[in-house]
Amino acid sequence: MQRTIGVNTWVWTSPLTDASLAELAPKIARMGFGAIELPLENAGDWDAARAGDLLRSLNLQPVVIGAMGPGRSLVDRAGNVPATQVYLRTCLAAARGVGASVVAGPFYAPTGVTWRMTRDERTDVVAQLRRNLAPLVDEAAADGLALAVEPLNRYETSVINTVEQGLEALAPLWGPGLGLALDTYHLNIEEKRPEAAIRAAAGHIAHVQVCGSDRGAVGDDHTDWPATLAALDDAGYEGILGLESFTGENATIAVAASVWRPLAPSQDDLAERSLRHLTALQAGR
C-alpha cells in the first residue's frame, strides 16, 4: 500500500502562522511531501481559507493538529472543559475551512500533566471523557470530519497511554466522527508489541504519525519500519503517514517535547531523510 507522506510544521516552527506557512508550505512541497500537518495552537494563529488556497495550489493534503496546552482538558480535574470544547470546535472549523478531513491530537487532558488514579477514579475520568467528547464527535461526523484521539506515553499523560486503553475508553463513541491517532514514538514506549497494537486498532485508525524512536529521522532508529508498514496494511489503514518531530529552537516547544539536543544536522535534513526512507520502503514492498 502506497500511503501519502506528510510532515508537521512543528519540525521547523511554533506556533504556525500565516507568514510561516507561506514560507514552509512551498518548501515542503518541493521536498516531495504530499501532505502537511497544521498545528492550531490558538484560535486565529492562521487563516483556514487562506491556508486552503495555498495548499491546494501546492497539492498538499492538510491535517489539522490540536494542541492540548495548559488548562485544555475534557476531564474536570485537569482543566476547563467548556473552554476546551470551544477550542476543539475551533479546530473542527479550521479543518472545514482548510479542506482537511481529520483533526488529530490527545484530546483528553493537557500534555505533560500526570496524576495517579485509583480504579474508581479512572472509571470516573473515562466517563467524563466520553460525556464531554460525545457532542464533538457528533459534530465532526455531521461535517464529514473525524477527530483522531492520540494515546501518549506515560510521561506526558495519565489518561490514555496504549491502544488498548484508547479502544476501551472510547468504545461507546466509535463511528465516522471518531478514530485513533497512532504515533510510532508513543507506541515504541508504551506497547509491548507495537505491530500487534496497530493490528488491534484495525477499523479505528484515523491518522498515523511517524518519527524515529528518539524523535529524530525515520530510519535512523531501531523501529522495525517494514513490520510497522505491514501492520498498517493488515489494519487496513490507507491514510497519511505524518512525520512529527520538533524544533529545539523554540523554547516552549523544546520544553514541551523534551528536545534537549539536536535530532539531526538540520530540520530540513531530518525531514528529507525521513521522506527518502519511507518512500524507498514503500516503493520496495
Side-chain angles (χ1 to χ4, degrees), residues 27-52:
K27 176 166 73 171
I28 286 167
R30 288 194 301 271
M31 285 180 173
F33 287 99
I36 185 170
E37 293 186 348
L38 304 171
L40 184 63
E41 296 184 39
N42 293 288
D45 280 350
W46 46 269
D47 180 84
R50 180 176 174 180

Side-chain angles (χ1 to χ4, degrees), residues 89-155:
R89 289 188 172 101
T90 299
C91 291
L92 290 171
R96 291 193 299 270
V98 79
S101 61
V102 173
V103 177
F107 301 139
Y108 35 82
T111 303
V113 174
T114 58
W115 68 95
R116 295 181 66 186
M117 285 182 273
T118 65
R119 182 175 297 180
D120 287 346
E121 288 168 339
R122 180 170 290 277
T123 297
D124 183 55
V125 162
V126 168
Q128 290 180 44
L129 173 60
R130 291 172 176 173
R131 181 172 63 251
N132 295 325
L133 185 61
L136 299 166
V137 171
D138 290 342
E139 291 167 27
D143 287 336
L145 305 173
L147 288 166
V149 176
E150 179 185 8
L152 299 181
N153 69 73
R154 72 193 75 179
Y155 310 110

Side-chain angles (χ1 to χ4, degrees), residues 38-86:
L38 304 171
L40 184 63
E41 296 184 39
N42 293 288
D45 280 350
W46 46 269
D47 180 84
R50 180 176 174 180
D53 288 342
L54 173 63
L55 300 185
R56 281 188 291 274
S57 74
L58 297 168
N59 294 315
L60 286 174
Q61 184 176 341
V63 177
V64 173
I65 304 296
M68 296 297 280
R72 285 184 183 154
S73 178
L74 294 178
V75 176
D76 292 332
R77 183 193 188 281
N80 188 325
V81 171
T84 303
Q85 291 174 317
V86 170

Side-chain angles (χ1 to χ4, degrees), residues 11 51 71 110 128 133 156 172 183 220 223 230 266:
V11 170
Q128 290 180 44
L133 185 61
E156 296 184 31
D183 185 320
D220 287 354
T223 303
S266 71

